[in-house]
Amino acid sequence: GAVVSQHPSWVICKSGTSVKIECRSLDFQATTMFWYRQFPKQSLMLMATSNEGSKATYEQGVEKDKFLINHASLTLSTLTVTSAHPEDSSFYICSAGSTPGLAVNEQFFGPGTRLTVL
Amino acid sequence: SQQGEEDPQALSIQEGENATMNCSYKTSINNLQWYRQNSGRGLVHLILIRSNEREKHSGRLRVTLDTSKKSSSLLITASRAADTASYFCAPARSNDYKLSFGAGTTVTVRA
């Protein structure tokens, strides 16, 4: 099956620093990747859609200058949380989709990255 | 994309029992997916059912879809402790490449 990895699995940083999270599709090429954020005991909220070779599409209310997304290759997308603050502490999950033979909206999720900003 | 609403919010059952949860949605769809999320982990795709299907099985999972009632159900038979997780549905049209998730159903299987 399709495997998506995320790195790091958890990170603790000081307020004001930037943190980069990587999302990789290991055994397939993903033209589209998605970034979600999940607060404790809540559902996943889509932050942005990342397309290889083009600018990401952000959901309403998500600051694109704060959450920088780069999708430089068909197997790697990165999310950089710039000038992180304690309210950015959350569980960040990526997913990849659009593999041939599957439904256009079937997605494979990474294991998530727990970000804690002190 | 449209969001499904899972019901109940939480479910606690004894190991070996069956667990049933429901998903309702508002507009017409082409497919509906169910995902599982173990605590602190990403989502795992369980099953996709298309709008022209009424029932689908995968191991101990049985999914039904009633497009006239705009609802779906997920049945887990002979539950195990490892089934303890949150379950989410994601209804979608064929041209929806984005998914939206509701609050999910949190299932706790007691030993």
Side-chain angles (χ1 to χ4, degrees):
Chain A
V3 179
V4 176
S5 70
Q6 273 184 250
H7 178 80
S9 54
W10 59 270
V11 57
I12 301 173
C13 69
K14 291 182 180 179
S15 188
T17 60
S18 294
V19 175
K20 181 187 282 188
I21 302 170
E22 293 186 348
C23 176
R24 292 181 186 274
S25 57
L26 298 183
D27 52 1
F28 67 102
Q29 294 184 326
T31 54
T32 306
M33 289 184 172
F34 304 88
W35 287 96
Y36 297 82
R37 180 167 55 182
Q38 185 178 35
F39 292 107
K41 299 192 185 303
Q42 294 187 26
S43 187
L44 280 74
M45 297 301 296
L46 180 64
M47 299 174 65
T49 302
S50 166
N51 294 296
E52 186 265 338
S54 63
K55 290 184 179 179
T57 303
Y58 291 81
E59 295 300 302
Q60 194 171 10
V62 178
E63 299 176 58
K64 61 180 181 182
D65 293 330
K66 180 165 185 64
F67 299 100
L68 301 179
I69 291 172
N70 183 274
H71 194 156
S73 76
L74 287 171
T75 59
L76 173 65
S77 176
T78 60
L79 167 68
T80 301
V81 183
T82 62
S83 187
H85 291 282
E87 57 265 30
D88 298 323
S89 298
S90 188
F91 193 52
Y92 292 87
I93 306 174
C94 73
S95 72
S98 296
T99 54
L102 296 177
V104 66
N105 45 42
E106 187 168 353
Q107 297 179 19
F108 298 93
F109 287 79
T113 296
R114 173 77 57 193
L115 170 63
T116 302
V117 184
L118 302 176
Chain B
S1 59
Q2 67 169 303
Q3 184 174 302
E5 288 187 22
E6 298 88 354
D7 174 70
Q9 194 172 15
L11 187 56
S12 180
I13 56 174
Q14 200 74 32
E15 202 166 23
E17 293 180 340
N18 296 342
T20 300
M21 61 210 86
N22 303 294
C23 169
S24 59
Y25 55 92
K26 289 186 166 53
T27 63
S28 63
I29 61 170
N30 292 103
N31 67 63
L32 186 144
Q33 301 174 60
W34 283 93
Y35 289 84
R36 181 188 75 225
Q37 183 181 32
N38 292 91
S39 181
R41 306 288 294 173
L43 272 66
V44 173
H45 181 266
L46 295 177
I47 201 163
L48 180 151
I49 186 166
R50 300 184 191 279
S51 60
N52 60 354
E53 297 175 306
R54 291 293 168 260
E55 188 170 309
K56 203 163 181 180
H57 296 254
S58 176
R60 293 183 295 111
L61 305 179
R62 173 179 163 247
V63 167
T64 64
L65 179 64
D66 187 334
T67 53
S68 66
K69 294 182 179 178
K70 293 186 171 54
S71 69
S72 173
S73 68
L74 170 66
L75 166 69
I76 305 172
T77 60
S79 63
R80 304 169 182 169
D83 296 326
T84 294
S86 292
Y87 293 81
F88 299 91
C89 69
R93 288 184 287 237
S94 57
N95 58 351
D96 284 341
Y97 62 93
K98 297 191 291 186
L99 297 178
S100 292
F101 296 93
T105 293
T106 300
V107 174
T108 303
V109 180
R110 306 187 306 273

